[in-house]
Amino acid sequence: MDSSALYRTVTDFAHTTPPWVRSAFEVWTEYGLLLFGLLFISVWWRARRHGGPRALALAVLAPLSTALVYVASELVKSTVDEERPCRAVAGAAASLIPCPAYGDWSFPSNHSAIAGAAAVALALAVPRLALLTVPVALLMAFSRVFVGVHYPHDVAMGLLLGASLAALAVLALASPLARVIAAVRASGNRAAVWFTGPGPARQGRNVPGCRLP
């Protein structure tokens, strides 16, 4: 797959944008994934306080499936050994950030794979979050081409790999993990229950006069 022409088009466009736009993309492409980390924590905290076992299982699987995707992406990257476009594409505009060292291969984009995985896993945990996570993942993928360190096909396949593997992992593991969480909540182990949270049923027991069905 050769997307060199589209790569040149995007990187040429990047150099025509105002300096503040380029600076914003440079910061975003380096640190934007931290937003997903904050969302992982927020979704887990909400699920442990107010969600049932399945809700918490989905919240816990969001970062776990994303980590699995990262490992898978690294395995593919080390097998394909595609050189970075910032070194390989003749006549292309200079990358906005330093070109990664030789041996840090280009296909697929790890950033895009992580973003695609996190976007889908978080949307499975809290469906309305898709309105935020999907655009954020697409913006992360685009930024990798914009700053000049990935081909368009790198980020497209990264998104596809991340989204598909994360969805499969979450759907396969959600029910077994929910059963484990239900058992942990019933165990009374203080440390384990802190992590899984009291859940809505146990919270109800702590409210005077509250009767559970």
Side-chain angles (χ1 to χ4, degrees), residues 35 101 132:
L35 175 59
L132 171 63

Side-chain angles (χ1 to χ4, degrees), residues 23 25 43 50 55 71 92 185:
S23 296
F25 269 96
V43 168
H50 305 295
V71 173
R185 280 179 169 173

Side-chain angles (χ1 to χ4, degrees), residues 15 24-25 42 46 50 53 61 81 97-98 114 118 141 150 152 159 202-204 211:
H15 280 267
F25 269 96
S42 176
R46 175 180 177 273
H50 305 295
L61 284 170
D81 292 357
I97 63 175
I114 291 169
H150 276 292
L159 287 172
R202 188 177 294 269
Q203 284 179 334
R211 298 183 63 185

